């Protein structure tokens, strides 16, 4: 029997230009798929009243180290340089598979609670083969849509991040591909989280890129952030190695040369920007406008909850404010008007939804409320005091709403949050992630 859900009488922001906005509209979901978006739909369905709600596609976080949920806020004042020592060299080596499971469970639920329906889990915590198993199990249990990006182990900085000679174990990635990702059509898909030139020797870089291409999975890599990677000219080096391609997401991109921007754009690569981390930790200015000027469709990401909040509203505002601050200051300095390419609130919403799906390679199935796509839908309570009265629904979401206003979250047609409550064992997830915190702190003490 066909299962139908009808979202009735919401303010629908489809983020699909062909569907547009409906100040009062219905969204019909059939067997997990968006069947119709229209002013009024009659259907024999479970009805969710969306009066006073803004209905949007779920947010897409295109890069988060979900395993760090156990160590939330341990590095509040860290720079990127500190982070390598305090997190990758201190906590990462201590992680057990149980810690990864707890963090991915709590972290993915945190995403769903905040209206993030698709997550790229940049998982560079694969210290044993049981680690990826634990990460994937947790993601699966939460019902989130995720791209699991299989990364390296992290047992020491010297071994894994400075001219590393150790490649991601191809044998285990092949095992994971066969065991969990036989089809690319599921809720979970696979990618390879690589470190790239400067962090690894060229043989390792080449072998990791070949592995991804052999397995036909996308690649995600941090580039051009901070003093360190900014100097490597990583994209230029990848170009010299003949490795650039449309299957690769470049994270941060703060210190690209003009040539590197062109190389990324010409090769069809995609971009993930983590504005709160970048401004706060010294990666550089979040280059949202730069990416757009090069014809790219940038997306947003959270990166690390060790140091920044885990929701998309923060990222939208951080990028919007940082870019406008930068351009305002430069224009004031040059005594010229600001360019008409200044970011808009609506653009930010598009960047956080549809662009994210594009970057995660999932635009055929999510990122907008388009009939035929999978139903990843979020309803924002616009009757709340921090949102009402609504003049411009896109601005209300981009500039006023926060996690407390995320009332309904649907992933793949399944209601994961209803009436402001997650449909999950939140108490268990919190207990596990607190136990993980205690275990990691004790292990850190024991090692000191
Ligand atoms: Zn990152």
């Amino acid at each position: 029997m066909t299962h139908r859900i009808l979202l009735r009488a919401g303010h629908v922001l489809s983020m699909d230009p062909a569907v547009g906005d409906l100040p009062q509209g219905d969204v019909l979901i059939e067997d997990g798929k968006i069947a119709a978006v229209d002013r009024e739909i009659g259907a024999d369905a479970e009805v969710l009243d969306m009066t006073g709600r803004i209905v949007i596609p779920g947010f897409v976080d295109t890069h988060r180290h979900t395993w760090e949920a156990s160590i939330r806020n341990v590095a509040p004042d860290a720079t990127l340089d500190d982070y390598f020592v305090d997190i990758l060299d201190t906590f990462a080596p201590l992680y057990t598979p149980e810690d990864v499971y707890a963090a991915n469970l709590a972290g993915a639920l945190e995403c769903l609670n905040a209206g993030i329906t698709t997550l790229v889990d940049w998982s560079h915590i694969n210290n044993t083969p049981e680690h990826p198993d634990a990460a994937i199990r947790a993601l699966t249990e939460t019902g989130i849509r995720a791209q699991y990006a299989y990364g390296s182990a992290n047992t020491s900085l010297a071994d894994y991040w400075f001219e590393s000679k150790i490649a991601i174990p191809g044998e285990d990635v092949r095992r994971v591909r066969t065991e969990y990702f036989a089809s690319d059509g599921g809720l979970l898909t696979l990618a390879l989280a690589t470190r790239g030139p400067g962090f690894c020797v060229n043989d390792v870089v080449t072998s990791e890129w070949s592995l991804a291409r052999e397995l036909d999975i996308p690649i995600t890599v941090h580039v051009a952030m901070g003093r360190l990677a900014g100097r490597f000219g990583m994209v230029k080096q990848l170009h010299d190695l003949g490795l650039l391609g449309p299957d690769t997401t470049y994270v941060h991109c703060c210190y690209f040369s003009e040539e590197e921007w062109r190389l990324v754009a010409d090769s069809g690569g995609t971009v993930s920007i983590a504005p709160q981390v970048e401004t706060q930790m010294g990666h550089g200015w979040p280059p949202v406008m730069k990416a757009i000027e090069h014809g790219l469709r940038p997306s947003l990401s959270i990166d690390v909850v060790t140091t920044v909040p885990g929701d998309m509203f923060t990222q939208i505002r951080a990028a919007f404010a940082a870019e406008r601050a930068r351009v305002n200051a430069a224009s004031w300095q040059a005594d010229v008007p600001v360019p008409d390419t200044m970011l808009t609130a609506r653009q930010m919403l598009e960047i956080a939804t549809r662009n994210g799906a594009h970057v995660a390679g999932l635009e055929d199935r999510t990122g907008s409320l388009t009939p035929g796509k999978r139903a990843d839908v979020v309803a924002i309570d616009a009757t709340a005091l921090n949102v009402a009265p609504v003049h411009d629904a896109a601005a209300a979401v981009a500039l006023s709403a926060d996690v407390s206003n995320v009332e309904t979250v649907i992933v793949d047609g399944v209601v994961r949050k209803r009436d402001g409550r997650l449909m999950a064992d939140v108490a268990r997830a919190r207990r596990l992630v607190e136990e993980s915190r205690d275990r990691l702190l004790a292990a850190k003490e024991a090692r000191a």
Side-chain angles (χ1 to χ4, degrees), residues 62-65 80 84 120-124 147-152 160-161 168 191-201 204-206 208-209 212-213 217-225 229-230 232-239 241 243-256 260-261 264 267-274 278 283 287 299 301 303 359-360:
T62 55
H63 137 255
R64 173 192 303 239
H65 311 290
L80 176 59
F84 272 88
V120 176
D121 179 20
W122 217 104
S123 197
H124 53 338
Q147 185 183 74
Y148 173 75
Y150 190 120
S152 70
Y160 286 94
W161 285 96
I168 295 170
L192 198 68
T194 62
R195 291 154 296 168
F199 294 118
C200 300
V201 298
V204 168
V205 173
T206 306
E208 291 186 351
W209 257 254
R213 281 157 187 172
I217 57 176
I219 296 164
T220 170
V221 59
H222 297 93
V223 295
M225 67 291 192
F232 292 164
M234 293 173 74
V235 165
K236 181 71 171 57
Q237 289 198 54
L238 286 169
H239 173 65
L241 292 169
L243 296 176
L244 296 182
D247 54 358
T248 305
T249 298
Y250 303 92
V251 180
H252 300 310
C253 313
C254 307
Y255 283 99
F256 270 172
E260 287 185 300
W261 278 114
V264 167
S267 62
T270 60
V271 168
S272 171
I273 295 170
E278 288 154 11
H283 296 52
S299 64
S301 58
D303 201 352
V359 171

Side-chain angles (χ1 to χ4, degrees), residues 25 29 51 64 183 252 383 400:
I29 298 167
T51 309
R64 173 192 303 239
S183 142
H252 300 310
T383 67
S400 294

